[in-house]
């Protein structure tokens, strides 16, 4: 029987980033995908500012930007006319990176190949049994033969219809679909109205007329006439989720918003989706873990889905690696659920709210609420709060601290420019913890953890705030301890990185 340490099921952005994180830490990983090859459809189209930072923490962002099609300086909430601004979050790059999901997968797969790991396409998970020491999965290969594969842990990153989740038999509670949509890669022929030629503000892409209760948008890709057509509403319900998408169906939606003369010359890819909203109750079931759409699904509103999954993987990767390598402190792996479940729950909440604004028809109460919310969005505090939630920049994990809570504790480490003109994020490229300090005593105290934490002495820590002589940063870029605090640096290192070697 073949054996490995972790099996990752699914080679979307979530699964690929998780596999990369495990491989970076020296964990043996097998990635399975039932598809015969990687899809080329654009699907998701952006990296939110925090997700861009996450890729930058591993030295991947420059590559992503080279493959990008746009720099998007503003977001939106429920296509209301006040854009979301990313200013005020101490972000080095306060914008979205417009890049098709397929290209994100491409660069992550290339990095994974650099670790000597290749996705096993055409290999479908058809069974699993877990016990106290591991999980035995049954895999069907491209020839139809079934073979067992033994692993210490299995991560289900296989999408909203997750086979892993179904085989586990865990509930997937939430709300059923009320609106039905299509996302398609199309090449336009004639148009009777001006269509967007540049994508710099998502809010402006929706600034056109559309039938009440419907949302339709054209997002320019990087070939002349090549667009992603996004349309959703309560009245376009198909006979089944798997019903083929016709060119006529897409042209009808296009003409309702962009004029009767609009036509589609070619449909390259098309996928149906809904506004169903669901989340598993537990992200960890014994030696099985769920991430990305396998753990949560929601309306495609505000471009949060791919980003939520990538950040799940970043949170889980270093924790699962520490567990496999036998150096995780008690409770570390369980903190994956404790931290990420509430984040996804908030995304489900805001997408349900956006759906109400977007799909309600002929409802004076909702019209009034929409008008009131538009005024609220113009308030800097409200705009900043929603921009922080949707972009991921505002995520702050609860952290125990016996001292007075520092303003950065539990928050992401801002990508500070250091005295040597390097950036703080570059210190995390190796996927290890980092201790930043202006006091050599802290650096010396961290020496026993030098196999997993890099201690860096600095003349100062920009943006650290008053009274912070040291910051302990987890491999996922979140600050888990600050000095001074009643709990010393040794306690913090043990809490997050285990006992010294």
């Amino acid at each position: 029987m073949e054996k490995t340490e972790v099996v990752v099921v699914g080679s979307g952005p979530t699964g690929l980033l998780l596999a990369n994180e495990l491989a970076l830490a020296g964990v043996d990983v097998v990635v399975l995908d039932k598809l015969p090859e990687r899809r080329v459809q654009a699907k998701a189209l952006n990296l939110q500012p925090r997700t861009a930072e996450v890729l930058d923490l591993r030295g991947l962002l420059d590559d992503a930007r080279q493959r990008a099609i746009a720099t998007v300086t503003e977001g939106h909430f429920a296509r209301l006319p006040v854009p979301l601004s990313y200013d005020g979050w101490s972000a080095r790059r306060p914008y979205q990176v417009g890049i098709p999901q397929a290209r994100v997968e491409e660069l992550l797969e290339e990095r994974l190949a650099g670790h000597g790991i290749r996705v096993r396409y055409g290999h479908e998970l058809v069974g699993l049994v877990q016990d106290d020491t591991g999980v035995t999965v049954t895999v069907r290969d491209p020839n139809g033969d079934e073979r067992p594969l033994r692993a210490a842990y299995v991560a289900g990153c296989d999408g909203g219809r997750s086979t892993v989740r179904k085989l586990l038999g865990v509930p997937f509670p939430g709300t059923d679909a009320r609106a039905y949509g299509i996302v398609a890669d199309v090449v336009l022929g004639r148009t009777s109205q001006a269509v967007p030629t540049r994508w710099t503000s998502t809010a402006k892409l929706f600034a056109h007329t559309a039938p009440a209760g419907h949302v339709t948008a054209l997002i320019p890709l990087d070939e002349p006439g090549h667009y992603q057509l996004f349309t959703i509403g309560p009245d376009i319900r198909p006979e089944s989720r798997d019903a083929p998408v016709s060119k006529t169906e897409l042209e009808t939606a296009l003409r309702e918003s962009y004029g009767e003369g609009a036509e589609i010359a070619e449909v390259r890819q098309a996928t149906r989706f809904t506004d169903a909203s669901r989340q598993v109750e537990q992200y960890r079931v014994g030696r099985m873990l769920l991430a990305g759409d396998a753990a949560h699904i929601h309306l495609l509103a505000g471009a949060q889905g791919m980003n939520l999954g990538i950040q799940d993987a970043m949170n889980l990767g270093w924790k699962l690696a520490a567990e496999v390598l036998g150096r995780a402190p008690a409770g570390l792996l369980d903190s994956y659920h404790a931290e990420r479940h509430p984040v996804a729950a908030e995304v489900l909440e805001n997408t349900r709210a956006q759906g109400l604004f977007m799909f309600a028809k002929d409802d004076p109460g909702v019209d009034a609420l929409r008008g009131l919310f538009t005024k609220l969005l113009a308030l800097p505090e409200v705009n900043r709060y929603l921009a922080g939630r949707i972009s991921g920049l505002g995520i702050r994990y609860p952290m125990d601290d016996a001292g007075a809570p520092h303003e950065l504790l539990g928050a992401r480490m801002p990508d500070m420019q250091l005295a040597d003109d390097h950036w703080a994020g570059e210190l995390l490229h190796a996927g290890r913890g980092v201790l930043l300090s202006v006091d050599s005593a802290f650096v010396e105290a961290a020496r026993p953890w030098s196999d997993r934490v890099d201690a860096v002495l600095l003349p100062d820590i920009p943006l650290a705030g008053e009274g912070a002589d040291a910051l302990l940063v987890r491999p996922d870029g979140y600050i888990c301890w600050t000095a001074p605090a009643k709990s010393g640096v040794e306690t913090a290192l043990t809490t997050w990185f285990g006992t010294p070697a």
Side-chain angles (χ1 to χ4, degrees), residues 69-418:
I69 59 175
T71 296
V72 186
T73 57
E74 297 174 333
H76 78 98
F77 186 88
R79 61 181 294 241
L80 296 174
V82 179
L84 295 180
S85 170
Y86 304 122
D87 293 335
W89 284 104
S90 299
R92 181 180 170 192
R93 301 180 179 93
Y95 51 77
Q96 300 176 32
V97 177
I99 178 173
Q101 177 177 324
R103 296 184 189 178
V104 176
E105 294 172 358
E106 181 181 65
L107 75 89
L108 291 174
E109 192 170 348
E110 288 173 3
R111 174 62 67 91
L112 191 62
H115 292 295
I117 299 169
R118 299 195 177 276
V119 177
R120 299 186 184 183
Y121 287 109
H123 286 71
E124 182 180 6
L125 176 75
V126 294
L128 60 84
V129 178
Q130 66 169 320
D131 52 48
D132 291 341
T133 61
V135 186
T136 300
V137 300
T138 303
V139 182
R140 181 180 297 142
D141 68 19
N143 297 320
D145 298 327
E146 295 184 2
R147 294 185 175 87
L149 173 59
R150 181 73 174 174
Y153 290 89
V154 172
C157 307
D158 49 341
R161 302 185 188 185
S162 169
T163 299
V164 173
R165 187 186 66 240
K166 292 174 182 177
L167 290 175
L168 275 173
V170 297
F172 200 31
T175 58
D176 293 333
R178 295 177 298 173
Y180 305 85
I182 303 168
V183 59
D185 291 356
V186 301
V187 178
L188 296 186
R190 293 183 300 110
T191 57
S192 61
Q193 291 185 12
V195 298
T197 57
R198 296 181 64 228
W199 175 26
T200 57
S201 167
T202 305
K204 292 178 182 177
L205 291 179
F206 293 109
H208 57 78
T209 59
H214 286 75
V215 176
T216 299
L218 283 169
I219 303 173
L221 301 178
D222 55 355
E223 298 175 23
H226 186 199
Y227 287 82
Q228 181 181 89
L229 174 60
F230 173 98
T231 183
I232 184 171
D235 302 330
I236 53 177
R237 182 171 185 169
E239 294 181 0
S240 75
R241 174 75 180 273
D242 298 318
V245 177
S246 70
K247 179 180 174 183
T248 299
E249 190 176 6
L250 293 171
E251 281 189 328
T252 298
L254 178 67
R255 289 168 179 167
E256 286 177 340
S257 293
Y258 293 93
E260 287 299 321
E263 67 178 23
I264 295 173
E266 179 186 357
V267 179
R268 294 184 175 178
Q269 298 278 347
T271 302
R272 295 189 186 276
F273 67 95
T274 75
D275 69 340
S277 182
R278 301 184 179 279
Q279 184 179 26
V280 295
E281 296 171 345
Q282 289 293 326
Y283 284 13
R284 180 186 179 188
V285 182
R287 291 178 172 269
M288 309 290 301
L289 299 124
L290 297 170
D293 289 352
H296 40 71
I297 59 170
H298 55 83
L299 171 66
L300 303 181
Q304 298 173 83
M306 176 172 68
N307 296 271
L308 191 59
I310 287 175
Q311 292 177 49
D312 281 351
M314 192 68 163
N315 186 287
L316 174 59
W318 69 278
K319 297 174 180 178
L320 182 55
E323 188 74 26
V324 170
L325 297 173
R327 62 190 188 200
L332 181 67
L333 189 54
D334 287 331
S335 73
Y336 163 62
H337 167 85
E339 292 180 350
R340 293 303 298 171
H341 191 278
V343 172
E346 287 198 2
V347 171
L348 266 63
E349 180 183 59
N350 83 58
T351 52
R352 285 169 178 160
Q354 292 188 71
L356 177 65
F357 284 145
M358 291 190 292
F359 305 138
K361 297 192 297 182
D362 303 322
D363 189 326
V366 175
D367 289 342
L369 184 61
R370 190 182 288 115
L372 175 61
F373 212 87
T374 299
K375 296 173 184 175
L376 290 174
L377 272 177
L379 298 176
E381 299 88 350
V382 176
N383 197 292
R384 183 178 187 275
Y385 171 78
L386 285 174
R389 302 317 302 180
I390 291 176
S391 69
L393 295 171
I395 293 172
R396 186 168 183 170
Y397 298 129
M399 301 283 177
D400 292 331
D401 190 344
H406 191 276
E407 60 182 339
L408 289 179
L409 186 64
R412 67 186 234 288
M413 176 188 67
D415 197 4
M416 307 170 285
Q417 189 168 21
L418 305 178

